[in-house]
Amino acid sequence: LRGWNMCDQSSNRLMDSFARHHLAALPHGSIALTSGDLQYYPLLYLQLCENVRRDVQVVNTAMMKGEWFLEKQGKTHFRDISFPAPVYMPGVTTCSESLYNIRCLLEENPSPLWTKQRK
């Protein structure tokens, strides 16, 4: 195999370092909202495979947009999080029985951190 040395990323620890630092910075019992695969999967890997910071609930907001999310993941993996409606829609300005935005999710799940930042 030619050129292997130029492509070898086995010692690249960037995503591992990213995920470990982010999880370490969160208070116990936090909800970590991610916006895509690049942030989500390194955090999930550390939790599920290396048993790091299992107290933190990591939620991928891109997945919350799917109608399947609440039934397949929300009710089983995120029992401590209250979802205000079945589908997350970041563009809505007001929440309804069927759609919610990030503001409604945060209001539904009060946290000392979020309350402090609003003041």
Side-chain angles (χ1 to χ4, degrees):
L1 214 48
R2 282 195 227 177
W4 171 254
N5 291 341
M6 291 176 18
C7 299
D8 180 16
Q9 293 291 310
S10 61
S11 62
N12 184 342
R13 307 307 300 160
L14 179 66
M15 294 315 294
D16 180 75
S17 178
F18 160 84
R20 288 182 190 279
H21 282 94
H22 276 72
L23 287 173
L26 295 170
H28 181 80
S30 294
I31 300 171
L33 300 174
T34 66
S35 62
D37 295 351
L38 191 58
Q39 302 89 18
Y40 179 66
Y41 286 109
L43 298 171
L44 196 62
Y45 172 84
L46 286 179
Q47 289 186 313
L48 299 179
C49 299
E50 297 190 18
N51 215 25
V52 175
R53 292 300 308 270
R54 297 292 300 258
D55 62 292
V56 174
Q57 295 184 81
V58 180
V59 183
N60 187 337
T61 58
M63 289 183 184
M64 290 184 346
K65 295 175 189 175
E67 292 182 17
W68 55 268
F69 175 80
L70 189 59
E71 190 62 39
K72 299 290 183 189
Q73 284 197 347
K75 292 179 181 176
T76 54
H77 298 296
F78 306 112
R79 291 186 201 112
D80 297 335
I81 301 174
S82 177
F83 294 92
V87 178
Y88 170 68
M89 187 67 59
V92 298
T93 55
T94 58
C95 300
S96 66
E97 290 181 16
S98 57
L99 301 172
Y100 68 97
N101 59 24
I102 200 72
R103 180 186 50 80
C104 296
L105 179 66
L106 296 179
E107 287 175 355
E108 188 82 14
N109 298 277
S111 161
L113 217 59
W114 296 328
T115 308
K116 202 181 242 182
Q117 289 177 344
R118 281 194 222 150
K119 291 180 182 177

